[in-house]
Amino acid sequence: AQSVSQHNHHVILSEAASLELGCNYSYGGTVNLFWYVQYPGQHLQLLLKYFSGDPLVKGIKGFEAEFIKSKFSFNLRKPSVQWSDTAEYFCAVNGWSSASKIIFGSGTRLSIRP
Amino acid sequence: ETGVTQSPTHLIKTRGQQVTLRCSSQSGHNTVSWYQQALGQGPQFIFQYYREEENGRGNFPPRFSGLQFPNYSSELNVNALELDDSALYLCASSGPSGANTGELFFGEGSRLTVL
């Protein structure tokens, strides 16, 4: 079955700490991978995406993610978080053969202590 | 601001009733997807419409139905409401190529409470 697993439900960090949020997926075939973010009181928005090519992708606000095909993983990283990074982060996947259906993980809530 | 607008923002219904949720997609987008997000969960794919035709469906029963209009706005209809239908319903538009690249532009959602 197609699925996305996010390992951490809630992560609490201090400002300037490094961040890594885990994401693993189960999906047969070629995939596109995404991280979406939802800031408090705002709508879901795309943070970054991987379609093909360089497995290290960079997104907005200093975020990056690495696609490791052998591990079916797409972890999100940021070297130094800010208080404004407080948000809910969702990993998502869709397959080239079923492009209409995007599957989301359950989300990781990130809280940054000022 | 994505340009995707949803209405109503909040509503309360009772079991067995029917509900219609509406969505106006971002200008130039011809594809609309609907998601259900229960509390503490990620969005779950309900279905997608492309050029007024259903173009993919998730694991939701037939009492969840939709429409897309020539102006690409969309409706989600849920019949015979159940308590478990209480959730945030998200509309997302994409396009205009018709090939879904997965980059979705979400509205703020309609929060449905079923009593």
Side-chain angles (χ1 to χ4, degrees), chain B residues 4 19 23 29 32 40 55 59 74 83 86-87 102 104 111 115:
Chain B
V4 178
V19 68
C23 172
H29 285 181
V32 174
N55 181 42
N59 294 325
S74 178
L83 296 179
S86 295
L104 302 174
R111 184 163 296 283
L115 302 177

Side-chain angles (χ1 to χ4, degrees), chain A residues 13-113:
Chain A
L13 296 173
S14 297
E15 276 193 315
S18 64
L19 169 71
E20 181 160 4
L21 301 182
C23 172
N24 286 91
Y25 67 93
S26 171
Y27 206 108
T30 307
V31 297
N32 301 319
L33 294 156
F34 312 88
W35 278 95
Y36 279 82
V37 61
Q38 187 168 27
Y39 297 103
Q42 296 187 27
H43 55 82
L44 269 167
Q45 57 187 283
L46 184 68
L47 193 60
L48 50 78
K49 60 187 177 186
Y50 171 79
F51 288 168
S52 62
D54 188 345
L56 184 63
V57 293
K58 296 189 184 298
I60 60 173
K61 302 186 180 185
F63 285 91
E64 65 180 30
E66 185 175 13
F67 171 47
I68 304 180
K69 189 175 181 180
S70 61
K71 295 184 178 180
F72 297 92
S73 70
F74 190 56
N75 292 353
L76 181 71
R77 300 194 292 248
K78 186 171 184 178
S80 176
V81 295
Q82 301 172 303
W83 179 80
S84 59
D85 293 325
T86 295
E88 184 111 25
Y89 293 81
F90 294 92
C91 183
V93 62
N94 76 346
W96 287 19
S97 61
S98 178
S100 64
K101 182 178 180 179
I102 297 175
I103 299 170
F104 284 81
S106 58
T108 297
R109 184 155 64 99
L110 176 64
S111 299
I112 306 297
R113 293 188 291 246

